[in-house]
Amino acid sequence: MEHEAKVYGRRSIRLKGYDYTQVGAYFVTIAVRGRLALFGEVVDGEVRLSGAGEMAREVWQAMPQRFPFVEMDAFVVMLDHVHGIVVIRGDGAGAPIGDARVSGRAGAAPTARALGDVVGAYKSLTTAAYIRGVHDAGWPLFHGRLWQRNFYERVVRDECELNELRAYIRDNPLRWEQGGLV
């Protein structure tokens, strides 16, 4: 996968030439800066969310209210990161998986926002809510930023891959407990 060399003085991890406003599904991972375990614990293969973890889940579920052109698919809050699938729709009827295109605007979804806008808003909203939780509920402090600067994304190419990613998200807590890659 080719990536852009620099964006605003730092390396971009986005796919060079890819239009992230395109209709389609995107798998994202957003990690807490310093990988601090702020959102809960894993017990018997299940995540037990802290108040902060509940907040992170609720903000994710509410994103379509802010961005009516998205559907939030499978999602899990882990101790120090979140995994989810964001579906950008074109006409409100649902996005065909694998319809995203590299470069060009032919067939582009009639949206004014990109995947980065959705993730950026999520990070901003959760950071503000977390800061309130630190003051009001005694949540653990973090220093600097709550989230790492970038996020990992993967364009979902087809329905088979979508189902594999849903299973990955669903099974992530069990893999965490077993010490596997998450």
Side-chain angles (χ1 to χ4, degrees):
M1 180 176 352
E2 258 185 81
H3 293 94
E4 293 180 33
K6 297 279 182 186
V7 175
Y8 303 110
R10 67 182 191 266
R11 181 179 173 272
S12 173
I13 60 172
R14 304 285 76 85
L15 182 60
K16 185 176 181 179
Y18 195 88
D19 182 355
Y20 287 94
T21 64
Q22 292 291 320
V23 169
Y26 302 88
F27 171 76
V28 298
T29 299
I30 310 166
V32 172
R33 186 168 180 244
R35 298 304 291 246
L36 301 173
L38 301 175
F39 297 134
E41 60 183 343
V42 176
V43 177
D44 295 329
E46 292 185 15
V47 177
R48 291 192 184 161
L49 296 177
S50 64
E54 290 288 343
M55 173 276 299
R57 184 181 48 78
E58 290 168 6
V59 171
W60 179 269
Q61 292 171 338
M63 292 307 289
Q65 295 168 13
R66 186 176 197 89
F67 297 101
F69 60 86
V70 301
E71 292 176 17
M72 307 313 268
D73 199 288
F75 177 72
V76 66
V77 177
M78 296 299 295
L79 285 61
D80 63 359
H81 65 283
V82 299
H83 293 297
I85 298 171
V86 178
V87 180
I88 297 179
R89 302 180 312 210
D91 61 2
I97 304 306
D99 190 39
R101 296 171 180 84
V102 175
S103 298
R105 294 292 301 160
T111 62
R113 302 286 186 178
L115 179 64
D117 295 314
V118 175
V119 172
Y122 177 79
K123 290 166 80 172
S124 177
L125 292 166
T126 52
T127 297
Y130 194 96
I131 291 168
R132 282 191 302 277
V134 168
H135 291 89
D136 299 343
W139 293 352
L141 291 172
F142 65 91
H143 300 285
R145 298 173 182 264
L146 176 61
W147 299 103
Q148 288 182 0
R149 206 168 205 174
N150 265 317
F151 64 95
Y152 171 82
E153 56 72 23
R154 177 174 173 174
V155 178
V156 179
R157 304 289 181 188
D158 56 38
E159 198 73 31
C160 181
E161 185 177 11
L162 178 63
N163 290 329
E164 289 171 359
L165 289 167
R166 286 174 174 151
Y168 176 85
I169 290 168
R170 179 193 66 233
D171 297 339
N172 204 253
L174 183 58
R175 279 192 307 280
W176 179 284
E177 192 171 63
Q178 294 171 345
L181 295 175
V182 292

